[in-house]
Amino acid sequence: MPDDLVWIPPQTAMLGSNEHEPEEGPAHEVSTDGFWIQPHQVTNAQYAEFVADTGYVTVAERPVDPTDFPGAPAENLVPGSLVFRRTAGPVDLRHLSQWWVWTPGACWNHPRGPRSTLAGRDRHPVVHIAFEDAQTYADWAGLTLPTEAQWETAARGGLPGATYTWGDEPERPGQRLANYWHGEFPYLPETGYGTTQPVGSFPPNDYGLFDMAGNVWEWTADFYGPDRAGTPCCAADSYDPREPQFQIARRVIKGGSFLCADSYCMRYRPAARRPQQIDTGMSHIGFRCIKG
């Protein structure tokens, strides 16, 4: 079951940013009621308890319906997930297919493929989690997923308008403030980086919350819109306009992951956000829950 929850007091906070990526703006004040939140991302051990209790089968483990993926190669129409693989050397960072590999058999308890296990990874965040997988766990635990505003308010730790979860200054050499990519992306991480780490391996923010920057991206309850001016009310408004053939809802994920390199995306900041198709988990996507 979830660990002890942390209280986030009611407040009005400045969320979003006008200084970074266009989808993060406009910065605006948002009022949130107080709520409780898990201090850590949901771990493999916690998710295993849920699966043992319910028999739940994650999206990545289920048979694939070919009609959902028109034009996809037959070899990809099997249960699996996208797994990060380091490249052999420098690559063109515009083409993320060079470090993401569709891997049959990859799922929450086989995170690197069918022969991998969770041995020694009980305290690592669970990954390869689609939105339904996170929502079903939350329902089982008597919790919910946070809205984007709730998540970001908690991530900021009471620091108004700060760029990072720890303040306005970037991490200094020798500091270990968050599990984002240190080294040459995507092929040569520094020792201790380049993969998930046990939850709580890095300092908490001022609310006592761990890994609100880095480690794994986290699902929120909100549908994704192109900016912070408003939140779409329904799935259709969140579809990717660049891929009209895929009418799949997208939700906001927050927090960045171990793959966020300053040279590439720097999206481990609280204002940063990304759209994620609800049927797609990856080896850097997990979640945490709240109680209103």
Side-chain angles (χ1 to χ4, degrees), residues 24 40 50-51 62 80 119 131 136 171 176 210 219 225 236 239 244 258 261 276 292:
E24 298 172 23
H40 302 109
F50 155 66
V51 169
R62 302 173 193 170
F131 181 80
T136 306
E171 187 184 74
R176 285 177 54 87
F210 296 86
W219 286 104
Y239 294 163
F258 66 90
Q276 184 68 21

Side-chain angles (χ1 to χ4, degrees), residues 66 69-74 77 246:
F69 301 95
L77 296 175
F246 296 120

